[in-house]
Every structure is written in structure tokens, then in C-alpha cells.
Amino acid sequence: VEVAKDSERLVLEVAQHLGENTVRTIAMESTDGLVCSQKCVDNSAPIQVPVGPKTLGCIINVIGEPVDKKGPIFPNKEMEKFAPLQACSHLYRAGKDPGDSRHWNQG
């Protein structure tokens, strides 16, 4: 959800739908000057942050805007596309389980 705040936009993450066109949100920046029942726009998309080689060395905030004053990361708003993920049937274990203890003290 986005709200017009002066000449900037404020991005809000919807945390809960309360019904009757009302939501509870989490603000990604300061909410100074915001008032109850202020009009907002549903962008019907999750918060998206750019990733890829062009973002290396850049400092970006939680909503993907550069804060290092080097200019826009993707000037034409063309973020890199992700390849579709493949389903995997493998199970990978992390850490140690009790079955591993029999190998700890063997040399």
C-alpha cells in the first residue's frame, strides 16, 4: 500500500485486514504528518527490492530506493528478472543430529 506524503511516497506493508476496506499496516519510513483515514493506493504487489550485479556496492533502504546519493540503480525501472525456481525433492540436513555423535571421536 502506498500513501502520498507531501511530495514523497510512503510504503506501508499490510499486516492485517480488518474488514470494511480497513487494514492495519507497518510503515517502512517515518509516519510524521500522516492522519487516520488518509486515502491510500493498493499496488497489489509485495515490496520489491532490486538485486543483481548493478546493486553491488549500493546502499539501499528496505523498499529498494538508493540512499547513497549515487542516483537510481535501475534508471528505467527495469529490474533484473529472476529465473523460475525448480522444485527439489532432496532433503538437506543442517547441523548435527544424535546419529552423528558416533563419528565425533574416531580418528
Side-chain angles (χ1 to χ4, degrees), residues 14-81:
V14 175
Q16 183 179 11
H17 290 269
L18 302 174
E20 298 181 17
N21 294 324
T22 305
V23 293
R24 179 170 286 132
T25 62
I26 300 168
M28 299 294 118
E29 294 180 283
S30 172
T31 58
D32 290 343
L34 225 55
V35 295
C36 280
S37 301
Q38 189 167 348
K39 297 290 182 186
C40 62
V41 177
D42 178 11
N43 57 7
S44 299
I47 296 173
Q48 297 179 351
V49 178
V51 296
K54 291 183 181 180
T55 62
L56 295 176
C58 297
I59 301 172
I60 56 177
N61 63 14
V62 72
I63 58 173
E65 296 171 338
V67 295
D68 54 7
K69 298 182 182 176
K70 291 183 180 177
I73 298 168
F74 296 98
N76 300 327
K77 292 284 187 184
E78 295 178 13
M79 290 190 206
E80 295 185 18
K81 304 294 184 211

